Amino acid sequence: MKDATNPAAVTRRQLLCGATAAGVGALLGPVRARAQVAANARLNVAVIGLGAMGRGHLGWALGDPALQVVAVCDVDRLRAEESLRRAETAYADRAGSSGYRGPQAINDYREILADPAVDAVVIATPDHWHALQAIDAAKAGKDVYCEKPISLTIAEGRRVREVMRQYGCIFQTGTQYRSIATLRKVVEFVRGGGLGQVQHAFTLWSRVEGGYTPVSYPLPAEPVPAGLDWDLWVGPAPWRPYNSRFHRNPLPGVVPWAFCDDFGAASVTWHHSHAADVTQYALGVEETSPVEIHHPVDGKFPTLTMRFANGVLLHLVDDWGVVKSVYQAVPADARLEGNFGGVFVGERGWLSALYGKGRCEGQPEGLFAEMGMPRHEVGWGNDHHRNWLDCLASRARPQTDAELGHRAAAIGHLAHIAFKLHRSLRYDPVKESFVDDSEANRLCSRALREPWRM
Amino acid sequence: MRRHVLTAGLLLAALPLLAATTPETLNDRTRLGQRFTSLRHLAAVAVCVPSWSDNEGGLTLTLWDTPERGKNLASRVVTGVRDNEYVELRPAEPLPPGSYYWEISDRTGTTRIGLYCNELEAESADCAWFDGQPAAKRRFLFQLVAASLPRQQLTALLAALAGTDAELKEAACRQLAVFGSAEAVPALAALLADAKFAHLARYALEGLADPAVDVAFREALHKLTGRLLVGLLNSVAVRRDGGAVGRLAELLKVADPEVAGAAAVALGRIGTPAAAASLEAALPGPESVRGELYEGALECASQLLAAGRSGPATALFDRLRLPPAPRVVQRAATRGAVLARGPAGLALLQQLLRSGDSEQLWAAMWVVQQEWPQPGITLAVAAELRGLPAATQVAVIEALGHRRDRAAVPALQQCASAGELPVRLAAVRALAKLGPAAAPVLLPLLADATPELRQAALASLAALPAEPLAAAARELLAHPEAARRRDGLALVQRRSLPAMGDLLAAALRDPAVEVRQDAAKVLTELGGAAQVLALREALLTAAGGPPAAGLESALAAVAGRAGAAETVAAQLADGLPLLAPVVQASLLRVLGTVGGQRALQAVVAASGGPAGEVRTAAREVLCDWRTTAAAPTLLPLARDAAAGADALKALRALLRLAGDADLPADQRWALCQEVRPLVQREAEQKLLLAALGTFATRAALDLVLPYLEPAATREEACSALLAVADKLAGGAEAAQLVAPLTQVVQRSGNAETVKRAQALLARVTPQ
């Protein structure tokens, strides 16, 4: 896979100890030293999965002078070749030559992992691949940026965390909303006690086909499109024949498979992993999980509600109107627009940390002065990718490492399990298992289709 | 009832529908219902209810076995129904596939309430019912929600496993994965050799905490081959069945590398001393399975450590740290070797730091930053710094920063104060992460001779928590050197520090002009009502000098967002005529930003003064005034032929106000009447037409019509006419629009305008 003309021949590991180039800049690794050593010390990355999210990451990677995209990978040959052309064009433009050929189009991610020239991978495949590919990458010595949710089950997330530690892999979860400067300011304020004791938090949970969990019913078999390796697409999940609802070209939108329980996690995939990451961080519970999950059938709360050991309640709501009309937790004239975060109600007032519709809200207004936030607008600017790159060089803990990515996904899985079993549950966040509930515990893991293993 | 928009949903009993959707009210009947067939287990029905009036009406939704209402399956009373709400009814348990009947009845409230009904292409038993009578070709709008996890009887599931229906067999495995017991093990184990269902059998068995599963798996380990055996080995690994170690050790030696590799990894997951012994005996093994053998061995060492067997774990890690283990395994084992030693691992960690080897340093950096938070580690690592090459020092310093342990402050202070610049910079950056204790170290560095270091120190100070940052800023703002005072302002600005208003106000009086300018910039962003007077005072003192422009901007920003406009305007306008003209002009512009009655009074007074800087500024502010309150002053000015250019500006300002749709229409209409006689030139005629286009009256339209004639204003007149007509088209005067719209069609030379006029004509022409 390695191209002799590729300027990325110097690996970051060599650079870390100054084994090749001289001087401090070389030792610091390509990321920290990019200003000094520029093009001859890029980090070699591969993008695995070239749907909507993967293309976004590819665009970022192609545009970052610290990175060299050495491979693009998708089980759909059309997608891989399309991304290959895009990468070649980008590098040709950069090099001023149309003859530049750097990356390769790969069908099977295992070929990428076998290449010692690849330093790190960006995983943007369907959800059922995330944990497995991240684990395989770590075992191959690659660092990982992984789209959310990082798991489809609690066991998968635990295994990801375990293997990332075991192999010393720098793992960043793609929950970038916490890295938006404005949102971070709000959630750190809440986390630091700015609202006093937080009593309630709210976040959105969407329906899929009328219910609250991804669906699991057979779809009719359709002819597999040319160039698509469907067996590899299904990979570790239970076998299903090809159906265009799962995958088709041109792209039908972001994460089309997410409605299906075997391949995705519906709300968790769409937005809740992001929201959970932001919310749990604000509540200071990002390295734990709830101790109780109350299904509405137990009559304690009108919507599914989690209770953490510190007493904070996290309510899942269909729409923000419920926070006003049913819980009456914020004034009726609150706008509560946006997603990917939460609404926090504490002793001193309330605040929203949401993205997508403009601005943070809260009362009393003086809270914003305390935060040093004269303007409430929420922009997109975030340093999530940059944080990962910095950590690749320093080996420091990224903003949303495997532990946090796991916990953000896990809280969604807990909700799914309560919805599936249609009852309330008790959970031990240390053992990460349900208390005296074998049925719920059996929903914490799934056997992988042969020959796949984690 | 609002127009209903169909939402996406899973219609399990989908029937061909015709397009027509009509509401049917419960007010005219006793009950409306729908028979339906669910092909899958049913969690809920959701019925779309138009209520014509939000949150007022109510009804009872009931689920029955049949339209004859033999058995009540679930019922729910709903009140305060939102218009077009999907009212949901969930039975206590999911219902098996089959035909059912839901019905609404017992209306409450005074509003109309009901259902939407579609026409069917053909008659169906699954049809709507009106007061107990079927309407075979009609169907109400509703959704079915499939149960995500139905729970059938074990006997039914076992029967499905024994049957030939693949779909039922798969569904049974999925349910048994949650609800199955030891009773299901034999039937599921029988599928382990079935290529089509082996995975689903493991899917059902892998999570069942019953020894019977291990027994079944061990038996199958002797029978299966190839991929099916690989899958089984992976499940054995997940279950960590120590009883399988013997067979797995045998499988390490088979020719199939996939099987041998899976056995190696499974032994690692099981992680017992016996498993470790099997793996160690097999290492390094043939090339085809070497990777899996080392992966399994590393896993095994980790499992031993997790089980508290640190001795065997250390021994295995130490073996794996060396060749011929793959480099990835060596690095991971090095990390494990440090951790497995416990406190004694510190010596190994220090050795790694000094090694100069990239893989070892890699592992050390990980442990320092991610595994060992104890303060003692910080001091031990910091003690190593002095002996390391500069490049390694940088990496270790960063790691100390990431530990966020203030115990590192003395060591980092030493690194920051002297030595190679990259090391000093790294130390300064790392100090930013160490909290309040870092501030006294960073402050003196602001005076360092190296600009890069000074910048880094400022950035690090700005990254400190709010309290020490505020303390540092206060200290700097009181510093005898102007450069440090500017640093203090920079800190306040970077972090938008609250409660610094008095100090910022004092900085406006600083002897150094650069400090005063910086203070104005900071206040532009952060200032509030409390700083209005200080800024006004500074503006007076500057008297047009270098900081004046910045002060005026700051005052405008602060006064504009201060609230209490009348109070602020009174503060600004106090003694205005007595001030220097250049200051008066500045304050008048600021008053324009504030607005309100008091501000206008001051501006109006100044606009009538003698010619000069003050009057010019006042008239400019008047011409930009945002309300019609300025009109009484602007009108005479516009009519004053002697005013020249000012008269024209005033007229244009009046036309702008007349066309501002955010202002009251009656005031704007009065303005139009007043200024119309003054409008002579083509440019102002076009402005007038634009203003007229904002009205929705026949009178406005009549004023537009004369401008259709001259070619110079024809297109603008057509546009204005269309704008007015569009607003009138739905009203009582619509028919009167035919003639003027016809004129637009005949006269406009713009195809798009003609098209719009024709479309409007079609709307307003009586059929």
Side-chain angles (χ1 to χ4, degrees):
Chain A
M1 179 182 300
K2 196 163 177 181
D3 187 328
T5 65
N6 189 330
V10 180
T11 73
R12 62 188 166 152
R13 274 174 225 129
Q14 291 169 311
L15 287 168
L16 183 75
C17 272
T20 55
V24 172
L27 175 124
L28 298 181
V31 178
R32 284 180 290 172
R34 57 183 168 270
Q36 295 100 315
V37 292
N40 65 346
R42 290 185 191 131
L43 189 78
N44 289 344
V45 297
V47 180
I48 303 172
L50 298 163
M53 298 309 296
R55 289 173 201 206
H57 289 300
L58 179 62
W60 154 70
L62 291 173
D64 192 322
L67 301 179
Q68 182 76 31
V69 177
V70 291
V72 289
C73 175
D74 200 291
V75 296
D76 185 332
R77 182 169 43 80
L78 296 181
R79 292 188 182 185
E81 289 176 353
E82 183 188 333
S83 290
L84 175 66
R85 287 191 293 275
R86 182 180 171 199
E88 284 177 339
T89 303
Y91 285 140
D93 289 347
R94 186 190 290 181
S97 157
S98 61
Y100 183 88
R101 292 184 69 82
Q104 292 196 22
I106 305 288
N107 170 254
D108 187 333
Y109 77 99
R110 290 169 293 189
E111 286 181 47
I112 286 175
L113 301 188
D115 184 349
V118 176
D119 294 314
V121 294
V122 176
I123 296 170
T125 42
D127 299 352
H128 64 290
W129 274 111
H130 290 174
L132 176 58
Q133 288 176 333
I135 286 167
D136 283 351
K139 289 178 178 175
K142 319 300 183 193
D143 291 318
V144 176
Y145 185 103
C146 185
E147 266 302 332
K148 34 59 59 176
I150 72 163
S151 64
L152 276 184
T153 66
I154 291 168
E156 282 185 5
R158 295 177 68 180
R159 185 69 180 144
V160 170
R161 177 183 60 196
E162 185 177 49
V163 174
M164 296 308 125
R165 284 184 186 158
Q166 198 175 56
Y167 283 83
C169 172
I170 297 298
F171 180 96
Q172 178 85 302
T173 311
T175 46
Q176 68 273 40
Y177 290 88
R178 80 144 59 195
S179 299
I180 293 175
T182 332
L183 291 185
R184 190 156 57 203
K185 193 169 257 191
V186 176
V187 297
E188 284 185 347
F189 180 73
V190 174
R191 180 186 178 88
L195 286 178
Q197 176 65 46
V198 175
Q199 290 124 353
H200 300 271
F202 299 87
T203 195
L204 291 178
W205 189 269
S206 302
R207 287 176 183 250
V208 53
E209 300 192 359
Y212 287 110
T213 62
V215 297
S216 178
Y217 51 80
L219 287 173
E222 295 174 4
V224 178
L228 173 64
D229 185 339
W230 180 246
D231 183 70
L232 197 50
W233 194 101
V234 175
W239 174 254
R240 286 179 180 275
Y242 171 79
N243 184 282
S244 54
R245 282 188 71 189
F246 302 129
H247 174 102
R248 68 175 183 271
N249 290 319
L251 282 174
V254 182
V255 296
W257 63 84
F259 74 96
C260 176
D261 198 40
D262 289 330
F263 305 136
S267 266
V268 177
T269 305
W270 296 327
H271 53 80
H272 189 266
S273 304
H274 289 301
D277 179 46
V278 170
T279 307
Q280 294 189 140
Y281 184 70
L283 300 176
V285 295
E286 76 275 20
E287 295 193 33
T288 182
S289 294
V291 294
E292 293 171 3
I293 302 100
H294 290 280
H295 191 282
V297 291
D298 75 11
K300 290 189 176 165
F301 302 101
T303 63
L304 192 122
T305 293
M306 320 266 196
R307 185 193 298 276
F308 289 91
N310 63 3
V312 178
L313 296 169
L314 174 62
H315 309 279
L316 307 186
V317 295
D318 277 40
D319 67 77
W320 291 123
V322 173
V323 182
K324 296 185 274 188
S325 62
V326 177
Y327 285 96
Q328 299 184 344
V330 301
D333 60 355
R335 287 163 62 238
L336 295 189
E337 292 176 328
N339 197 346
F340 309 111
V343 175
F344 308 96
V345 183
E347 294 167 321
R348 298 186 63 219
W350 67 276
L351 283 167
S352 75
L354 301 169
Y355 176 82
K357 293 286 179 69
R359 57 208 311 269
C360 294
E361 285 182 280
Q363 283 181 356
E365 180 65 23
L367 294 174
F368 288 94
E370 288 183 44
M371 285 188 277
M373 227 174 115
R375 287 176 292 274
H376 302 187
E377 284 72 19
V378 180
W380 174 242
N382 72 79
D383 61 354
H384 208 64
H385 281 129
R386 176 48 42 83
N387 172 254
W388 181 55
L389 294 182
D390 288 346
C391 293
L392 294 190
S394 69
R395 316 312 291 167
R397 187 180 181 185
Q399 280 162 0
T400 46
D401 68 354
E403 168 74 34
L404 270 56
H406 160 53
R407 296 289 185 172
I411 191 169
H413 301 328
L414 294 178
H416 276 150
I417 292 170
F419 280 128
K420 283 179 178 175
L421 294 173
H422 204 64
R423 57 182 163 80
S424 299
L425 304 164
R426 286 185 301 138
Y427 191 68
D428 182 333
V430 177
K431 292 180 182 168
E432 297 194 67
S433 64
F434 292 94
V435 179
D436 300 329
D437 195 328
S438 64
E439 290 177 355
N441 280 325
R442 292 178 71 180
L443 283 164
C444 290
S445 65
R446 297 174 186 172
L448 304 188
R449 194 165 68 101
E450 57 275 3
W452 305 100
R453 62 171 165 264
M454 294 184 189
Chain B
M1 183 189 71
R2 290 185 287 271
R3 183 177 172 77
H4 176 72
V5 179
L6 274 175
T7 56
L10 174 64
L11 298 178
L12 301 181
L15 293 167
L17 299 174
L18 296 177
T21 298
T22 54
E24 294 287 348
T25 70
L26 188 58
N27 304 58
D28 306 325
R29 307 187 187 263
T30 306
R31 48 198 176 97
L32 299 171
Q34 172 75 41
R35 182 188 188 272
F36 63 93
T37 302
S38 176
L39 304 178
R40 282 184 280 280
H41 279 77
L42 180 66
V45 292
V47 180
C48 186
V49 178
S51 68
W52 282 266
S53 171
D54 274 351
N55 308 322
E56 201 274 316
L59 50 78
T60 300
L61 174 61
T62 309
L63 186 59
W64 300 91
D65 56 346
T66 66
E68 288 73 33
R69 304 192 294 173
K71 184 177 179 186
N72 183 328
L73 301 170
S75 188
R76 181 183 170 200
V77 176
V78 188
T79 57
V81 177
R82 295 193 311 274
D83 193 17
N84 296 332
E85 179 179 344
Y86 269 83
V87 175
E88 191 175 273
L89 179 61
R90 285 181 179 266
E93 293 290 334
L95 299 173
S99 293
Y100 300 95
Y101 172 76
W102 59 256
E103 187 176 85
I104 63 168
S105 61
D106 301 297
R107 180 182 62 80
T108 59
T110 57
T111 184
R112 282 182 291 169
I113 199 161
L115 301 169
Y116 288 104
C117 199
N118 295 113
E119 299 296 319
L120 296 172
E121 284 181 345
E123 290 189 358
S124 170
D126 283 341
C127 66
W129 285 64
F130 293 79
D131 284 338
Q133 296 300 315
K137 289 192 69 176
R138 303 191 74 191
R139 178 186 186 281
F140 290 122
L141 182 61
F142 71 108
Q143 293 182 351
L144 300 181
V145 180
S148 56
L149 192 62
R151 182 201 289 256
Q152 288 177 272
Q153 294 295 320
L154 182 63
T155 49
L157 297 174
L158 295 179
L161 290 185
T164 56
D165 186 315
E167 204 171 299
L168 288 179
K169 203 179 276 196
E170 176 177 339
C173 287
R174 287 175 182 273
Q175 289 189 49
L176 288 167
V178 184
F179 306 120
S181 61
E183 277 182 83
V185 171
L188 288 165
L191 295 174
L192 290 172
D194 182 329
K196 191 170 178 187
F197 288 99
H199 170 237
L200 286 165
R202 287 193 294 109
Y203 194 92
L205 288 169
E206 192 178 283
L208 174 57
D210 192 292
V213 176
D214 296 318
V215 171
F217 278 2
R218 279 179 229 148
E219 283 176 12
L221 285 174
H222 291 275
K223 296 174 186 167
L224 301 183
T225 58
R227 282 274 166 105
L228 296 187
L229 179 53
V230 169
L232 181 65
L233 285 164
N234 295 340
S235 286
V236 170
V238 170
R239 293 179 64 85
R240 303 189 61 206
D241 174 20
V245 167
R247 178 57 183 157
L248 297 186
E250 291 169 10
L251 290 172
L252 284 180
K253 297 165 190 153
V254 300
D256 183 340
E258 278 200 51
V259 170
V265 174
L267 281 167
R269 288 294 293 277
I270 291 168
T272 58
S278 300
L279 285 164
E280 287 212 74
L283 287 174
E287 182 69 31
S288 60
V289 291
R290 188 164 298 158
E292 286 83 356
L293 280 168
Y294 276 102
E295 178 189 332
L298 181 73
E299 177 74 33
C300 194
S302 302
Q303 296 291 353
L304 287 169
L305 179 59
R309 299 174 186 272
S310 56
T314 303
L316 188 48
F317 278 131
D318 280 344
R319 177 173 178 183
L320 298 175
R321 287 173 59 203
L322 303 171
R327 288 175 69 82
V328 172
V329 172
Q330 286 183 40
R331 193 172 67 220
T334 302
R335 169 249 178 208
V338 173
L339 298 178
R341 283 171 165 79
L346 184 57
L348 177 56
L349 181 70
Q350 290 169 317
Q351 184 187 321
L352 298 176
L353 292 173
R354 292 192 293 264
S355 69
D357 175 80
S358 64
E359 300 293 338
Q360 298 203 29
L361 183 58
W362 195 260
M365 288 296 96
W366 172 276
V367 173
V368 168
Q369 296 174 95
Q370 309 224 21
E371 307 265 16
W372 270 358
Q374 300 90 327
I377 304 300
T378 303
L379 292 173
V381 171
E384 290 296 310
L385 271 171
R386 200 171 294 171
L388 299 174
T392 311
Q393 279 187 41
V394 170
V396 175
I397 285 169
E398 283 205 3
L400 288 170
H402 289 133
R403 288 179 62 83
R404 298 181 184 275
D405 180 356
R406 66 180 180 180
V409 169
L412 295 185
Q413 180 177 19
Q414 201 174 14
C415 292
S417 58
E420 291 188 40
L421 183 59
V423 176
R424 297 185 67 199
L425 287 171
V428 168
R429 283 193 295 265
L431 281 162
K433 301 182 175 74
L434 302 188
V441 179
L442 291 167
L443 278 168
L445 296 172
L446 293 172
D448 193 88
T450 311
E452 212 177 340
L453 199 89
R454 290 201 300 271
Q455 287 301 316
L458 191 65
S460 288
L461 278 166
L464 291 179
E467 269 187 37
L469 172 61
R474 276 193 286 273
E475 188 176 331
L476 287 168
L477 285 168
H479 200 279
E481 289 178 33
R484 298 291 77 73
R485 298 198 294 278
R486 296 185 73 189
D487 286 338
L489 289 169
L491 287 182
V492 173
Q493 186 173 26
R494 281 193 192 201
R495 285 281 297 274
S496 303
L497 280 179
M500 303 292 282
D502 290 347
L503 291 175
L504 294 176
L508 290 171
R509 299 188 294 274
D510 196 280
V513 66
E514 295 86 357
V515 175
R516 298 201 300 275
Q517 284 172 324
D518 285 358
K521 278 183 203 161
V522 177
L523 283 166
T524 304
E525 278 187 35
L526 305 178
Q531 282 82 48
V532 168
L533 284 177
L535 279 163
R536 182 183 187 275
E537 189 61 35
L539 193 64
L540 264 58
T541 307
L551 287 165
E552 183 184 323
S553 298
L555 188 51
V558 169
R561 63 170 173 256
E566 293 302 318
T567 307
V568 170
Q571 291 173 336
L572 293 173
D574 184 32
L576 188 66
L578 305 175
L579 304 177
V582 65
V583 177
Q584 284 192 55
S586 277
L587 288 171
L588 286 166
R589 286 189 288 271
V590 174
L591 284 165
T593 309
V594 175
Q597 198 177 349
R598 181 68 188 86
L600 184 61
Q601 276 175 9
V603 175
V604 167
S607 72
E613 189 178 358
V614 174
R615 191 177 80 177
T616 302
R619 288 184 174 182
E620 280 174 0
V621 171
L622 269 179
C623 287
D624 287 336
W625 206 258
R626 288 165 292 178
T627 70
T628 53
T633 312
L634 288 169
L635 268 170
L637 187 60
R639 289 183 184 126
D640 182 0
D646 283 357
L648 184 59
K649 284 182 191 169
L651 177 59
R652 290 184 159 211
L654 288 163
L655 288 166
R656 174 182 57 78
L657 290 169
D660 185 344
D662 290 337
L663 298 174
D666 56 338
Q667 294 177 17
R668 296 193 296 114
W669 181 247
L671 259 186
C672 284
Q673 304 285 21
E674 294 268 13
V675 300
R676 201 162 55 90
L678 303 174
V679 173
Q680 304 296 330
R681 301 186 335 154
E682 218 177 279
E684 284 72 42
Q685 287 173 348
K686 290 178 180 176
L687 290 174
L688 175 63
L689 286 167
L692 291 171
T694 63
F695 291 94
T697 63
R698 174 69 206 197
L701 197 142
D702 289 342
L703 287 185
V704 171
L705 286 173
Y707 293 99
L708 283 173
E709 195 60 37
T713 55
R714 186 175 301 143
E715 292 305 327
E716 285 76 9
C718 286
S719 295
L721 195 151
L722 286 178
V724 178
D726 189 49
K727 293 189 269 285
L728 295 174
E733 296 176 289
Q736 296 174 33
L737 298 172
V738 173
L741 285 170
T742 306
Q743 283 200 58
V744 174
V745 172
Q746 290 168 348
R747 288 168 178 268
S748 175
N750 182 308
E752 184 58 32
T753 303
V754 171
K755 199 169 148 189
R756 283 182 56 208
Q758 286 169 333
L760 269 173
L761 261 177
R763 276 176 63 194
V764 301
T765 303
Q767 300 297 312

